Amino acid sequence: MHVSIDLTGKAAVVTGSGRGLGLAYAHALAAHGASVVVNDIDEAVAEAAVKSLREAGGTAVAEVVPVGTAEAADRLVARAVDEFGRLDILVTNAGILRDKVLWKMTDDDFDAVVTTHLKGTFTCARAAAVRMREQGEGGTLILVGSPAGQRGNFGQTNYAAAKAGIAAMARTWAMELSRAQITVNAIVPVAATAMTETIPAFAPYIEAMRAGEPLPAFLRKGEGFGTPEDCAALVPFLASAAAREVTGQAIGIGGDRVTLWSHPQEVKSAYADGGWTPDALAAAWPTTLGAEPQTVGIPAPKVPEA
C-alpha cells in the first residue's frame, strides 16, 4: 500500500537544526511541505541552514537562541506562530556533550548537558503543548533520544541520564496529551555525526564515507548505522496523519534498519512466603533473578573478519 506523506500547511520547530541530524530533520519536514523554524546558537550556521532549505524549495526562518530556558522555548514557539500562523510539530534535537567518567565530571559538565537536553526538551515541549492545545487541532512532539539513554554508555553520566529522562517524558506526555490529540514519541537515531565519529570502531568508516565511499552493509543493516538523512525519514512520518495512532513509543532508526524499543518492564520474579530477608535474598539470588542479569552499555559493532 502506498501512502503519500503530505505536511502542507503544517509549521514545525526543530531545535539544534543548523547542522547534522537536526538539519536532516528540517530538510525532511520541508521536503514534505512543512514550514520550518530552524534553531541554532550560531547565527551564521542557522542562516546557512535556512538558505539550504529555501534553495531546496522549502519555507524556513531562523531563530538563534540556546534552548534550555522557558524564555527560549517561548521565543521558538512565538516565531513559528508569527511567521506561519501556527505550530504543529516540535522536534527537540538540540544537544551538547561533556563526556567524563563519574569521578572526573564537574557540576558544570553535568548541568550544561542536562540543561540543554533534558530541561530544553521539557521547556520547549511545554510551550509547544500550550500552543497546540489552544489551537485545538492536535499536534506532534518528537523527542530525540539516544541508545545511551536506553542502555547507558561509559563516560556519559550526564548525557545518558538526560536521554533516559527524555524517553520517560515521552511516555508520560503521551498519556497527558492524548485527549488533545497530540502524539508524543521518542526517536533513537544512530548516524554518522560529529558525536559518533569519536567512537573508534566507527571512525574509519565515517572518514571513508566522507571521502565518497558507501557505508558497508554490516553497518547499515547489522548495526543500523547510516547517515543523518537515513534517520530523517522517521520525522515526517511521525508528524503525518499516517502516524496519528503512534504515541508513547521509543523508535530507533539508522542505516537500513528501523526498530521499536521496549519499555522498561519486570523480566523475572521470585517469591518468599512472608517476605524476604537479606539472607534469603543472598541464597536465592544466584539461581533466580541473578541467573540471567540484564546487560548494560551499547554493544560494540561486530566488524566482519577480514
Side-chain angles (χ1 to χ4, degrees):
M1 181 177 68
H2 176 72
V3 177
S4 179
I5 302 300
D6 185 4
L7 302 177
T8 302
K10 304 290 187 182
V13 169
V14 184
T15 68
S17 49
R19 53 168 66 95
L21 280 164
L23 180 57
Y25 301 149
H27 268 283
L29 287 167
H32 287 85
S35 301
V36 181
V37 176
V38 169
N39 163 249
D40 201 273
I41 59 172
D42 186 317
E43 183 174 3
V45 169
E47 292 297 344
V50 167
K51 182 181 178 183
S52 71
L53 286 162
R54 290 175 177 171
E55 288 177 345
T59 301
V61 296
E63 186 66 22
V64 180
V65 63
V67 303
T69 65
E71 292 76 14
D74 289 343
R75 276 179 56 179
L76 288 165
V77 171
R79 188 65 189 278
V81 174
D82 291 345
E83 293 286 344
F84 310 127
R86 57 188 300 108
L87 175 64
D88 305 280
I89 304 156
L90 171 69
V91 184
T92 59
N93 173 76
I96 60 172
L97 291 178
R98 297 288 187 274
D99 292 356
K100 288 189 180 75
V101 290
L102 172 60
W103 55 94
K104 293 183 179 180
M105 185 168 289
T106 67
D107 287 4
D108 287 345
D109 293 330
F110 186 87
D111 291 345
V113 170
V114 169
T115 295
T116 302
H117 287 275
L118 191 63
K119 190 176 180 183
T121 296
F122 161 66
T123 53
C124 289
R126 180 178 60 186
V130 168
R131 176 63 193 184
M132 290 174 185
R133 291 179 78 248
E134 289 173 350
Q135 290 173 178
E137 300 175 25
T140 304
L141 304 183
I142 300 171
L143 318 182
V144 180
S146 167
Q150 305 296 101
R151 296 190 53 85
N153 196 32
F154 190 95
Q156 291 195 314
T157 292
N158 44 12
Y159 180 74
K163 292 300 191 183
I166 285 169
M169 290 194 296
R171 294 189 288 269
T172 300
W173 296 341
M175 293 184 285
E176 294 179 347
L177 294 170
S178 63
R179 289 186 63 183
Q181 297 183 309
I182 299 170
T183 61
V184 189
N185 293 284
I187 64 173
V188 185
V190 181
T193 66
M195 290 186 178
T196 53
E197 71 182 358
T198 62
I199 301 172
F202 287 144
Y205 299 102
I206 296 175
E207 184 177 352
M209 182 193 74
R210 288 178 175 161
E213 297 181 25
L215 289 170
F218 87 87
L219 278 181
R220 291 191 58 85
K221 288 185 169 61
E223 301 298 329
F225 182 87
T227 67
E229 290 71 26
D230 292 323
C231 297
L234 189 53
V235 171
F237 163 67
L238 289 174
S240 74
R244 295 323 302 162
E245 303 302 318
V246 181
T247 194
Q249 305 303 301
I251 306 166
I253 190 167
D256 297 330
R257 187 172 75 184
V258 63
T259 60
L260 181 67
W261 284 86
S262 66
H263 297 316
Q265 59 185 343
E266 297 167 339
V267 296
K268 203 165 189 179
S269 302
Y271 301 90
D273 292 339
W276 289 92
T277 65
D279 289 345
L281 283 168
W285 186 269
T287 58
T288 57
L289 306 188
E292 296 181 26
Q294 300 293 290
T295 60
V296 298
I298 302 170
K302 297 178 181 177
V303 181
E305 295 182 4

